[in-house]
């Protein structure tokens, strides 16, 4: 057996772990997906359910997933097997790790296509192509990109290559430093966009849309989407954060780290929402426009504002970076597993996994033009065909069910002494978290699921 080579062994400190995990959490999910699904699902009530899912389900399960990784010390498959054996139950729990690996590959396949849009828009911004865009011309611009499979494939290939490159090489201090600079910069740029949004005079309308709760607008589909997105945005339920946890220093507090990551992640999403919806209303656009929302609204703003070419380029550069640090965590579990168990070189494993994701991604590329079809899901009409199918399959089903399994394993299967030993919380706090992981998180998750799918 070759020695286990794990990229994040090189990320030495507690801060490095927080950065890596925040880099994984903050990505397209916050800036691209959150605004568009919020728009599609009517705003306020959806946001409230999403925040509730983050607090009551996401955070407790994230603590559990990190804990499993840190105790298991291997890829999700190996970690689950080791932990199951340690607690004297069937090693079949390893299947959970395997399902996670598949989910990561499926997500990566479309994630890198969307990240490709951002790469392309970075260039467009730099070339000053956003000048004078209106709602209509901005829509047409995106439409032009989506309707051109060759162009989409080109950018998708570039992003895939970037990801493979980093994972193959291992995350050295270069990326660690980059994340340290780029993450705060992303924050600053979001603040600038927020300032611009305020200047449009439609800021209150944006806030109203995001935070005024009207339960009448809450469809079954919205509840499921909010639940799924809580997992997606925290990188939860498929072993990504488990693998990262396995590289976490023993002394670091799992609870504190989890809170920091969840708060930063939620803040970025809410800021993106507050920056984007005023633009939607100021330009008379459709809040429920779907996956193109951010790629239509922001270019209009960059085209109008002072220094827009510079800010636009910077913004999409940072978006690409945020997507990049997320994407590496999507293929890390598969890569770690291949290099642990198949004796494959780490770089070979990374390229092989990326190739599979890239090839699958072509399905998403085509789904925006010739292969699009519509179907119904939980009472809503979906129109981008395979892109939507993949998105719903992973975010709405695989991640929450993976999370449910993690909660059940942690709360009911693993011996409590081991959980307590690893999670290291004071008596009282531990007791609360433990009951939440045993009862609240799984039951609420199941309830939302069953209720929304119309069985109860
Ligand atoms: N959280 C990332 C985002 O919001 C996406 C992501 C990275 C992810 N790793 C993951 C989603 C693992 C689910 C599981 O963009």
């Amino acid at each position: 057996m070759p020695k286990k080579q794990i990229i994040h062994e090189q990320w030495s400190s507690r801060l490095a772990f927080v950065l890596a995990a925040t880099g994984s959490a903050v990505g397209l999910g916050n800036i691209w997906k959150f605004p568009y699904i919020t728009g599609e699902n009517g705003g306020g009530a959806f946001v409230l359910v999403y925040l509730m899912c983050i607090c009551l389900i996401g955070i407790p399960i994230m603590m559990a997933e990190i804990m499993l990784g840190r105790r298991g010390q291997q890829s999700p498959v190996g970690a689950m097997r080791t932990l199951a054996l340690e607690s004297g139950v069937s090693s079949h729990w390893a299947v959970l790790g395997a399902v996670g690996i598949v989910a990561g590959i499926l997500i990566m396949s479309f994630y890198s296509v969307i990240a490709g849009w951002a790469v392309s828009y970075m260039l467009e911004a730099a070339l000053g192509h956003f000048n004078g865009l209106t709602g209509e011309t901005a829509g047409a611009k995106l439409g032009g990109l989506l309707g051109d499979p060759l162009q989409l494939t080109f950018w998708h290939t570039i992003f895939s290559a970037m990801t493979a490159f980093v994972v193959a090489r291992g995350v050295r201090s270069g990326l660690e430093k980059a994340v340290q600079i780029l993450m705060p910069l992303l924050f600053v740029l979001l603040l600038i966009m927020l300032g611009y949004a305020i200047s449009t005079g439609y800021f209150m309308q944006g806030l109203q849309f995001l935070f005024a709760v009207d339960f009448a607008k809450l469809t079954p589909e919205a509840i499921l989407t909010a639940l799924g997105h809580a997992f997606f945005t925290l990188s939860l339920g498929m072993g990504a954060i488990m693998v990262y946890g396995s590289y976490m220093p023993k002394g670091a507090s799992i609870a504190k780290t989890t809170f920091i990551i969840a708060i930063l992640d939620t803040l970025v999403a809410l800021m993106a929402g507050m920056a984007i919806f005023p633009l939607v209303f100021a330009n008379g656009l459709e809040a429920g426009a779907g996956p193109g929302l951010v790629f239509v609204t922001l270019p209009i703003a960059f085209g109008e504002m002072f220094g827009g070419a510079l800010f636009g380029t910077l913004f999409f550069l940072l978006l690409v970076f945020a997507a990049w640090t997320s994407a590496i965590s999507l293929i890390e579990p598969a890569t770690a597993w291949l290099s642990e168990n198949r004796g494959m070189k780490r770089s070979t494993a990374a390229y092989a996994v990326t190739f599979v994701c890239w090839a699958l991604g072509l399905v998403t590329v085509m789904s925006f033009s010739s292969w699009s079809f519509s179907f119904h899901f939980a009472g809503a009409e979906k129109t981008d065909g395979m892109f939507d199918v993949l998105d719903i399959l992973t975010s709405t089903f695989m991640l929450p069910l993976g999370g449910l399994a993690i909660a059940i394993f942690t709360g009911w299967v693993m011996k409590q002494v081991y959980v307590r030993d690893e999670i290291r919380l004071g008596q009282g706090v531990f007791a609360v978290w433990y009951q939440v992981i045993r009862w609240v998180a799984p039951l609420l998750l199941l309830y939302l699921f069953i209720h929304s799918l119309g069985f109860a």
Side-chain angles (χ1 to χ4, degrees):
M1 275 296 268
K3 189 181 165 298
K4 250 191 291 167
Q5 295 180 320
I6 291 166
I7 50 176
H8 304 294
E9 274 172 342
Q10 294 143 346
W11 297 37
S12 43
S13 63
R14 192 178 317 190
L15 177 68
F17 172 77
V18 174
L19 281 174
T22 309
S24 164
V26 174
L28 294 173
N30 306 64
I31 294 167
W32 158 73
K33 198 173 182 189
F34 173 73
Y36 101 71
I37 56 178
T38 299
E40 280 183 339
N41 291 291
F46 172 84
V47 175
L48 185 69
V49 175
Y50 158 75
L51 291 175
M52 195 188 78
C53 289
I54 293 275
C55 293
L56 291 176
I57 301 175
I59 290 177
I61 293 184
M62 190 166 184
M63 287 172 61
E65 191 173 332
I66 295 176
M67 182 276 294
L68 296 179
R70 190 166 73 178
R71 195 167 184 87
Q73 289 290 314
Q74 288 151 70
S75 79
V77 179
M80 288 311 298
R81 185 182 302 117
T82 306
L83 294 173
L85 293 176
E86 180 189 51
S87 285
V89 297
S90 157
S91 62
H92 284 122
W93 278 95
V95 172
L96 177 56
V99 174
I101 284 174
V102 173
I105 288 173
L106 293 177
I107 295 175
M108 179 60 186
S109 80
F110 67 81
Y111 203 84
S112 101
V113 176
I114 312 290
W117 302 2
V119 181
S120 145
Y121 267 53
M122 186 172 85
L123 213 74
E124 297 273 333
L127 294 173
H129 288 177
F130 293 160
N131 285 338
L133 282 184
T134 61
E136 218 163 280
T137 50
K141 186 176 216 25
L142 182 67
L145 175 65
L146 298 195
D148 185 347
L150 272 183
Q151 240 197 94
L152 280 184
T153 305
F154 178 73
W155 299 117
H156 162 56
T157 308
I158 293 207
F159 186 80
S160 301
M162 283 163 60
T163 309
F165 181 78
V166 173
V167 179
R169 232 142 260 255
V171 179
R172 299 242 164 79
S173 56
L175 196 79
E176 183 179 325
K177 287 228 177 64
V179 176
Q180 270 177 37
I181 299 165
L182 289 165
M183 280 290 156
L185 205 59
L186 179 67
F187 223 73
V188 172
L189 230 77
L190 276 171
L191 281 176
I192 294 178
M193 295 311 292
L194 217 56
Y196 181 80
I198 293 172
S199 80
T200 61
Y202 284 82
F203 193 64
M204 287 319 287
Q205 215 170 316
L207 285 189
Q208 177 100 17
F209 182 78
L210 275 172
F211 299 114
V213 177
D214 174 5
F215 282 111
K217 286 193 191 156
L218 205 59
T219 61
E221 192 226 359
I223 296 175
L224 274 185
T225 306
L227 174 69
H229 188 64
F231 282 87
F232 186 91
T233 192
L234 293 176
S235 302
L236 218 53
M238 53 137 298
I241 219 74
M242 197 187 289
V243 176
Y244 276 38
S246 73
Y247 318 131
M248 184 180 180
K250 275 283 175 199
S253 156
I254 291 178
K256 257 191 230 153
T257 320
T258 300
F259 274 106
I260 296 174
I261 299 165
I263 287 171
L264 287 176
D265 184 78
T266 307
L267 215 58
V268 172
L270 292 178
M271 278 166 72
M274 289 189 284
I276 281 155
F277 284 105
L279 302 179
V280 170
F281 299 122
N283 292 288
L285 299 171
E286 182 68 55
L293 188 69
V294 173
F295 289 89
V296 171
T297 47
L298 291 183
I300 301 178
F302 291 127
E304 274 172 4
M305 72 167 72
F306 175 74
L310 176 68
F311 288 140
T313 312
L314 211 59
F315 181 85
F316 283 107
L317 174 77
L318 293 171
L319 184 56
V320 169
F321 233 89
W324 199 8
T325 55
S326 299
I328 57 175
S329 79
L330 282 168
I331 60 169
E332 174 60 20
T335 306
W337 179 75
L338 275 179
S339 44
E340 264 172 31
N341 295 284
R342 297 279 166 264
M344 220 183 249
K345 257 183 23 199
R346 176 170 186 91
S347 54
T348 315
Y351 286 114
V353 174
T354 308
F355 179 76
V356 172
C357 299
W358 175 83
L360 259 174
L362 298 179
V363 176
T364 294
V365 164
M366 297 311 291
S367 76
F368 293 112
S369 47
S370 37
W371 293 357
S372 76
F373 57 88
S374 23
F375 61 99
H376 285 267
F377 171 73
E381 172 148 2
K382 297 283 172 187
T383 47
D384 288 325
M386 277 316 283
F387 164 69
D388 278 316
V389 171
L390 282 173
D391 180 31
I392 292 173
L393 175 69
T394 52
S395 295
T396 311
F397 290 96
M398 295 180 88
L399 300 180
L401 292 178
L404 180 63
I406 287 170
I408 291 173
F409 184 83
T410 305
W412 298 94
V413 178
M414 198 167 152
K415 291 220 167 76
Q416 197 191 345
V417 277
Y418 299 144
V419 179
R420 193 188 285 272
D421 175 50
E422 198 62 43
I423 208 111
R424 282 167 212 253
L425 282 172
Q427 282 286 340
V429 190
F430 178 82
V432 172
W433 170 76
Y434 198 65
Q435 292 313 317
V436 171
I437 243 351
R438 277 168 84 95
W439 298 103
V440 182
L443 287 178
L444 187 63
L445 204 159
L446 267 180
Y447 170 76
L448 294 180
F449 230 87
I450 292 171
H451 174 74
S452 314
L453 287 176
F455 299 129

